[in-house]
């Protein structure tokens, strides 16, 4: 059997990240799973925005994004405000409860990494963070580009 080239091995390794993501999802609060957590994180990071912009950032269909937004609104983590530029549209804004939930999400994920990577050196954790950021940057903004 031929020796796999570096990209084949990388493809297998990146596929295995799914197990890490599933493990992290298990530590999230039942009421705030992946989609809702992504809404909160993106609105926190990018600031107030329309649902259409959020759907672009999440790389999902508007209907999927709207369901996630509705869930966060029902829980009081996001509020919909009139768009000053277009009264027919709404702007999404993180609430105080949303900030609190983000703090809880960050705490849980950080604790999970701390538990699972306890044997790793600080340098290895830093290197992994750096390389993952570099990998993401190498792909650029691939949301609009489908293979």
């Amino acid at each position: 059997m031929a020796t796999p080239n570096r990209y084949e091995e990388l493809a297998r390794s990146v596929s295995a990240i799914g197990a890490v993501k599933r493990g992290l999802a298990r530590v999230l609060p039942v009421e705030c799973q992946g989609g809702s957590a992504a809404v909160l994180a993106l609105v926190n990071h990018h600031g107030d925005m329309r649902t259409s912009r959020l759907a672009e950032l999440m790389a999902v269909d508007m209907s999927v994004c709207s369901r996630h937004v509705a869930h966060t609104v029902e829980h009081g983590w996001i509020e919909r405000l009139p768009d000053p530029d277009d009264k027919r549209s709404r702007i999404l804004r993180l609430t105080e409860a949303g900030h609190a939930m983000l703090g809880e999400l960050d705490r849980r994920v950080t604790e999970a990494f701390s538990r699972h990577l306890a044997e790793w050196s600080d340098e290895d954790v830093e290197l992994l963070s750096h390389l993952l950021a570099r990998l993401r940057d190498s792909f650029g903004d691939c949301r609009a580009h489908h293979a």
Side-chain angles (χ1 to χ4, degrees):
M1 181 171 199
T3 307
N5 73 36
R6 64 185 179 165
Y7 299 116
E8 290 170 336
E9 185 61 34
L10 178 60
R12 281 192 283 282
S13 296
V14 169
S15 293
I17 290 176
V20 173
K21 289 177 71 174
R22 287 187 297 279
L24 291 174
R26 286 192 285 276
V27 304
L28 298 179
V30 172
E31 70 276 14
C32 190
Q33 288 296 302
S36 297
V39 168
L40 298 180
L42 288 168
V43 173
N44 183 59
H45 181 76
H46 294 279
D48 301 354
M49 69 182 78
R50 290 181 180 177
T51 304
S52 58
R53 174 69 177 134
L54 181 61
E56 289 174 17
L57 291 169
M58 292 179 74
V60 298
D61 187 73
M62 273 291 287
S63 63
V64 172
C65 185
S66 293
R67 282 194 301 275
H68 291 310
V69 168
H71 182 81
T72 62
V73 169
E74 288 168 15
H75 282 81
W77 304 322
I78 292 283
E79 60 185 344
R80 290 183 183 120
L81 303 170
D83 184 339
D85 297 328
D86 180 355
K87 299 296 182 198
R88 297 168 297 168
S89 296
R90 297 281 176 252
I91 296 290
L92 306 175
R93 176 175 293 156
L94 202 59
T95 65
E96 190 173 315
H99 283 287
M101 178 52 74
L102 267 176
E104 178 65 12
L105 296 172
D106 287 345
R107 183 189 66 75
R108 288 176 182 227
V109 170
T110 300
E111 285 178 2
F113 276 126
S114 178
R115 251 189 338 272
H116 292 285
L117 305 181
E119 302 297 319
W120 288 41
S121 70
D122 289 347
E123 293 79 16
D124 283 348
V125 173
E126 275 185 43
L127 178 60
L128 177 62
S129 295
H130 172 76
L131 291 173
L132 287 172
R134 197 170 150 200
L135 176 66
R136 175 66 182 99
D137 289 346
S138 292
F139 276 78
D141 186 1
C142 57
R143 288 182 300 261
H145 310 290
H146 299 287

